[in-house]
C-alpha cells in the first residue's frame, strides 16, 4: 500500500473516532507531534513541582502541608505517566530528560513565575490547575489511546488540586484584611500568566490546525482560554476578589466575557527562556537529576540482578 493510501485510511479511522494504538501504523508527523506535545506536557508536570515545592516546609498548618505534599507527589506521577506515554511512540526517556536539562525542550511558561507568598499556592491550585483541567479534559478524548487513557486519571487528580487551591483562596478571602490583600495580590500576579498557558492565539498557533484535523486537540487555544475566563469570573466574584482586567465585560451577544489584550511579548520572552525563574528552574532540575543518580543506579542494578537470576533459573530448568 502506498503512503498516500495508508494516510487516507489513518484519517478515516480518526474521523470515525477509532483510537490509534501504539503498534499501529501512523504518519511520521503524527508521531512527532505527539512526542513533542506529550513530552512538553511531562516536563511541565515535573518542573511544575518546583514553584509549589518551595512552600512545603512553610505551609501554615499540618493539614495544608499534607494536602500540598500529596499534590506535588501527584504531579511527579503525572510526569511519569506522560513520559511512559511518549515511550510508547518510540521516544527514549533519557533523551527527553536530557532535552529538558539542557534547556532545549519547552515546558509550560507558567512555571517560570515565582511563588512569593502562601496565597500563591491557592492561586496556582485555583487558576493554574483550573486552566490545566480545561485543556486536559479535552485531551481525555485525544485520538492517541495511551495519551487519552493517561489523561483520565490525571484529570481526576487535577480536579482535587483545583479544589484545594480554591479552598485556600476562600479561607484567605474570608480572613483578615491582610489575608484578603494577599489573595488579591496573588490573583493580580497569576491571572495573565494563567491565560497565557493556553498558548498563542489561534492566528499565531503553528500546530493547532493540523492537530485538530488529527483530533489530537479537540478545541483551539482561544476556545479553551475563553471557556476558562467564562468559568473563572463567577468564582472570583464568589471570593470577593477583582480580576485585574478593566476590559473584562459580559457580552450578551456572544454569550462570553470580553477581555483585555494579552501581553504576547511577555509570553514569548518567557518561552524563550527569559522569564523571572527560567534559569532557576533548570538549575533545580539538574540538581534533582544529579541527586537522584544513586536511585537510578540502584534500581538498574536490582533489575539486572533479577534478570540474571531469571536467566539462571531457565538454564537450570
Ligand atoms: N508555554 O501551535 P501551538 C499543568 C509553544 S500541565 C510554553 O499552540 P500546541 C499541570 C508550543 O509548544 C501544563 N510553550 O502549540 C500542573 C509550540 O512550540 P514548539 C501544560 C508554549 O502544542 C498544574 C509553540 O508554542 N499542559 O499545568 C505554551 O498545538 C499545577 C506554538 O504553540 C500541557 O502541556 C506555553 N504555555 O498547543 C502541574 C497540555 N503554549 O513545540 C503543576 C498538553 C504554546 O513548536 C502545578 N499540551 N507553547 O516549539 C497542549 O495541549 C498543547 O501543547 C498546548 C499548545 C495547548 C500547550
Amino acid at each position: 500500500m502506498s503512503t498516500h493510501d495508508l494516510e487516507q485510511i489513518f484519517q478515516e479511522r480518526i474521523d470515525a473516532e477509532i483510537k490509534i494504538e501504539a503498534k499501529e501504523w501512523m504518519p511520521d508527523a503524527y508521531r512527532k507531534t505527539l512526542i513533542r506535545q506529550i513530552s512538553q506536557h511531562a516536563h511541565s508536570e515535573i518542573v511544575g513541582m518546583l514553584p509549589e515545592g518551595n512552600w512545603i516546609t512553610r505551609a501554615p498548618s499540618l493539614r495544608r502541608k499534607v494536602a500540598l505534599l500529596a499534590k506535588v507527589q501527584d504531579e511527579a506521577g503525572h510526569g511519569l505517566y506522560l513520559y511512559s506515554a511518549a515511550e510508547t511512540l518510540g521516544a527514549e526517556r533519557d533523551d527527553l530528560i536530557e532535552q529538558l536539562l539542557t534547556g532545549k525542550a519547552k515546558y509550560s511558561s507558567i512555571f517560570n513565575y515565582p511563588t512569593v507568598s502562601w496565597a500563591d499556592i491557592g492561586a496556582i491550585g485555583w487558576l493554574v490547575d483550573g486552566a490545566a483541567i480545561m485543556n486536559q479534559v479535552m485531551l481525555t478524548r485525544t485520538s492517541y489511546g495511551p495519551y487519552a487513557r493517561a489523561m483520565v486519571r490525571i484529570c481526576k487528580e487535577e480536579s482535587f488540586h483545583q479544589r484545594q487551591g480554591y479552598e485556600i483562596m476562600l479561607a484567605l478571602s474570608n480572613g483578615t484584611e491582610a489575608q484578603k490583600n494577599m489573595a488579591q495580590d496573588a490573583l493580580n500576579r497569576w491571572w495573565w500568566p494563567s491565560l497565557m498557558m493556553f498558548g498563542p492565539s489561534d492566528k499565531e498557533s503553528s500546530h493547532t490546525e493540523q492537530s485538530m484535523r488529527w483530533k489530537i486537540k479537540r478545541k483551539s487555544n482561544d476556545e479553551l482560554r475563553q471557556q476558562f475566563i467564562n468559568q473563572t469570573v463567577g468564582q472570583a466574584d464568589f471570593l470577593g476578589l477583582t480580576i485585574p482586567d478593566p476590559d473584562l465585560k459580559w457580552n450578551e451577544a456572544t454569550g462570553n466575557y470580553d477581555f483585555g489584550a494579552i501581553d504576547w511579548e511577555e509570553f514569548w520572552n518567557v518561552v524563550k527562556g527569559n522569564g523571572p525563574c527560567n534559569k532557576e528552574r533548570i538549575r533545580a532540575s539538574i540538581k534533582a537529576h544529579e541527586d537522584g543518580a544513586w536511585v537510578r543506579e540502584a534500581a538498574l542494578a536490582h533489575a539486572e540482578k533479577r534478570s540474571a537470576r531469571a536467566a539462571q533459573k531457565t538454564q537450570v530448568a
Side-chain angles (χ1 to χ4, degrees):
M1 226 183 271
S2 70
T3 307
H4 176 265
D5 291 343
L6 285 167
E7 277 176 0
Q8 202 168 344
I9 295 168
F10 177 81
Q11 189 62 47
E12 281 165 11
R13 298 189 66 205
I14 298 265
D15 294 342
E17 300 290 339
I18 298 169
K19 289 268 179 276
I20 307 302
E21 296 299 336
K23 297 263 187 285
E24 291 169 7
W25 187 89
M26 60 185 81
D28 283 347
Y30 176 84
R31 187 186 298 278
K32 231 171 113 189
T33 298
L34 277 171
I35 293 176
R36 177 187 65 78
Q37 177 170 323
I38 297 173
S39 61
Q40 287 175 356
H41 192 169
H43 298 326
S44 302
E45 298 281 357
I46 297 298
V47 178
M49 290 193 281
L50 294 168
E52 290 170 293
N54 181 32
W55 278 90
I56 290 173
T57 54
R58 293 175 287 157
S61 70
L62 183 60
R63 176 173 167 263
R64 294 290 186 207
K65 184 168 176 150
V66 167
L68 183 59
L69 260 175
K71 177 183 193 292
V72 172
Q73 283 179 353
D74 285 349
E75 280 147 13
H78 299 173
L80 297 184
Y81 307 151
L82 288 164
Y83 284 129
S84 299
E87 283 174 319
T88 65
L89 291 155
E92 291 290 334
R93 190 177 301 215
D94 287 349
D95 296 341
L96 300 179
I97 305 278
E98 193 191 313
Q99 286 160 19
L100 172 67
L101 300 182
T102 52
K104 283 189 204 123
K106 286 199 172 72
Y107 59 86
S108 184
S109 48
I110 193 76
F111 302 117
N112 293 304
Y113 291 85
T115 41
V116 297
S117 88
W118 171 251
D120 289 355
I121 302 306
I124 289 180
W126 173 33
L127 301 173
V128 176
D129 285 279
I133 299 170
M134 196 57 84
N135 167 279
Q136 290 170 359
V137 165
M138 149 187 102
L139 293 174
T140 61
R141 295 188 302 117
T142 194
S143 56
Y144 185 56
Y147 191 23
R149 289 188 289 273
M151 290 320 300
V152 172
R153 176 146 177 200
I154 291 179
C155 279
K156 285 189 183 148
E157 293 175 352
E158 298 287 23
S159 105
F160 151 71
H161 297 170
Q162 200 266 355
R163 275 154 190 264
Q164 71 84 45
Y166 194 69
E167 205 237 332
I168 292 174
M169 294 304 272
L170 199 57
L172 292 172
S173 303
N174 289 318
T176 62
E177 199 54 32
Q179 286 172 321
K180 190 164 179 186
N181 289 342
M182 267 171 70
Q184 181 64 55
D185 171 59
L187 171 57
N188 293 348
R189 284 179 292 104
W190 289 93
W191 176 252
W192 291 104
S194 297
L195 299 190
M196 293 174 196
M197 277 179 78
F198 293 96
S201 71
D202 294 352
K203 274 194 286 191
E204 302 294 324
S205 160
S206 43
H207 301 294
T208 297
E209 204 182 317
Q210 181 60 68
S211 287
M212 286 186 72
R213 213 171 300 132
W214 279 327
K215 298 189 196 286
I216 292 175
K217 283 165 95 164
R218 299 265 177 171
K219 289 184 181 174
S220 74
N221 300 356
D222 284 337
E223 276 178 86
L224 289 168
R225 188 168 14 246
Q226 184 70 62
Q227 211 177 316
F228 173 74
I229 293 170
N230 289 353
Q231 170 186 289
T232 311
V233 171
Q235 297 171 351
D237 281 348
F238 187 76
L239 294 173
L241 300 178
T242 308
I243 291 180
D245 178 358
D247 297 323
L248 191 70
K249 207 166 126 233
W250 177 249
N251 183 330
E252 200 62 57
T254 61
N256 287 309
Y257 278 93
D258 291 337
F259 55 97
I262 293 175
D263 183 349
W264 291 115
E265 207 180 309
E266 173 181 327
F267 171 74
W268 288 115
N269 201 36
V270 174
V271 172
K272 280 185 202 136
N274 304 319
C277 299
N278 294 60
K279 292 187 180 62
E280 189 181 324
R281 300 294 182 240
I282 296 294
R283 249 198 326 269
S285 303
I286 293 172
K287 182 173 183 315
H289 190 70
E290 285 172 356
D291 289 351
W294 71 270
V295 180
R296 291 189 296 281
E297 276 163 27
L300 276 177
H302 182 64
E304 276 161 20
K305 218 162 135 186
R306 261 180 42 172
S307 56
R309 217 180 288 147
Q312 229 174 24
K313 270 193 194 154
T314 331
Q315 267 179 1
V316 171

